[in-house]
C-alpha cells in the first residue's frame, strides 16, 4: 500500500532510511530489496547486526555516521546518531522550512524510546535527547510510532510538554514511567 501511494502521487522510491533495525522497523526491507534492487539502504553501522544476510549481501547498504549528509534529489538529509533505544539509532533531519525531523524510536510525542532492550542505554538516550534539544525549535517531529492522538508535533511544543525532554539528568530520565 505505501508503495502504491508513492506511485499514485508521482513519487519514486530512491532510498530506504532506517532509523534502527528492530524488527518492527525492518520487516518489509527484504521485500523492498527484492522489488527495488537499485535502492540504497541508509543505516548506522552499529545497527547492521540485525539485518538478515539477504539484505546485507544486496550490495545496497550505505552505512552513515553522525552528521553525514545523504543527497536525495534536491534534498540534503543529515543523519544524526542518537543512540539510547538502540546503539545505531539515527534521526534524519530534512533541512527545509520548517525542518522535518524523522525521530524513529528516539523521540516520540511526549515520550522517548525504551532503553531496556539490547544495546539500549539511559545514559546514551539522555545525551541523544540533549542533542535534539539544540535543533531548530520549529522542526516538525515525525516519530516512528504514534502513542498519542496526534501523529506529529514540533520540537518547540515537545520542549514545553515532553517529560523526557524536561529531564535534567540521566537519573531523572531513568525514573520516568
Amino acid at each position: 500500500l505505501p508503495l502504491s501511494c508513492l506511485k499514485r502521487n508521482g513519487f519514486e522510491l530512491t532510498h530506504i532510511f532506517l532509523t534502527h533495525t528492530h524488527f518492527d522497523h525492518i520487516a518489509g526491507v527484504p521485500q523492498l530489496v527484492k522489488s527495488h534492487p537499485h535502492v540504497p539502504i541508509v543505516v548506522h553501522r552499529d545497527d547492521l547486526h540485525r539485518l538478515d544476510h539477504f539484505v546485507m549481501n544486496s550490495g545496497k547498504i550505505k552505512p552513515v555516521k553522525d552528521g553525514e549528509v545523504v543527497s536525495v534529489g534536491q534534498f540534503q538529509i543529515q543523519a544524526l546518531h542518537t543512540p539510547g533505544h538502540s546503539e545505531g539509532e539515527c534521526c534524519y533531519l530534512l533541512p527545509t522550512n520548517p525542518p522535518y525531523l524523522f525521530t524513529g524510536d528516539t523521540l516520540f510525542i511526549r515520550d522517548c524510546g525504551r532503553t531496556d532492550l539490547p544495546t539500549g542505554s539511559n545514559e546514551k538516550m539522555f545525551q541523544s535527547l540533549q542533542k535534539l534539544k539544540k535543533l531548530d525549535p520549529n522542526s516538525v517531529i515525525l516519530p516512528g510510532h504514534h502513542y498519542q492522538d496526534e501523529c506529529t508535533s514540533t520540537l518547540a511544543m515537545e520542549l514545553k510538554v515532553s517529560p523526557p525532554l524536561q529531564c535534567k539528568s540521566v537519573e531523572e530520565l531513568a525514573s520516568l514511567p
Side-chain angles (χ1 to χ4, degrees):
L1 182 62
L3 289 176
S4 63
C5 289
L6 285 175
K7 189 177 231 180
R8 188 172 54 247
N9 288 290
F11 295 104
E12 176 186 347
L13 181 67
T14 63
H15 289 73
I16 299 167
F17 284 82
L18 300 179
T19 58
H20 64 295
T21 58
H22 286 157
F23 179 78
D24 58 326
H25 289 259
I26 63 165
V29 172
Q31 184 58 42
L32 285 174
V33 169
K34 288 176 187 166
S35 64
H36 295 77
H38 62 285
V39 173
I41 301 165
V42 180
V43 60
H44 193 276
R45 66 185 73 253
D46 289 344
D47 254 36
L48 291 173
H49 64 280
R50 287 190 208 93
L51 294 174
D52 70 24
H53 293 292
F54 173 72
V55 173
M56 286 299 294
N57 293 328
S58 69
K60 293 301 169 185
I61 299 295
K62 163 121 178 63
V64 290
K65 57 186 178 214
D66 187 45
E68 189 169 341
V69 174
V70 177
S71 295
V72 178
Q74 66 183 16
F75 299 107
Q76 304 297 308
I77 300 172
Q78 184 179 23
L80 303 172
H81 185 214
T82 55
H85 176 67
S86 174
E87 184 60 34
E89 179 91 24
C90 281
C91 293
Y92 295 102
L93 180 64
L94 179 61
T96 51
N97 188 17
Y100 286 89
L101 182 62
F102 298 88
T103 59
D105 285 5
T106 301
L107 183 63
F108 302 132
I109 297 170
R110 294 187 293 287
D111 206 353
C112 68
R114 297 172 54 174
T115 58
D116 61 337
L117 299 171
T119 77
S121 163
N122 285 324
E123 292 79 12
K124 290 181 181 179
M125 178 62 81
F126 182 76
Q127 293 166 358
S128 292
L129 294 173
Q130 300 314 300
K131 179 183 207 171
L132 295 182
K133 287 167 69 170
K134 296 175 184 172
L135 298 176
D136 183 339
N138 295 312
S139 297
V140 176
I141 295 171
L142 300 161
H145 297 280
H146 306 294
Y147 299 121
Q148 302 297 330
D149 290 337
E150 61 272 53
C151 58
T152 67
S153 185
T154 63
L155 184 55
M157 177 57 70
E158 293 306 304
L159 288 168
K160 291 178 190 173
V161 300
S162 175
L165 289 177
Q166 294 176 352
C167 289
K168 304 266 189 271
S169 68
V170 173
E171 294 76 24
E172 204 175 322
L173 179 67
S175 72
L176 292 175

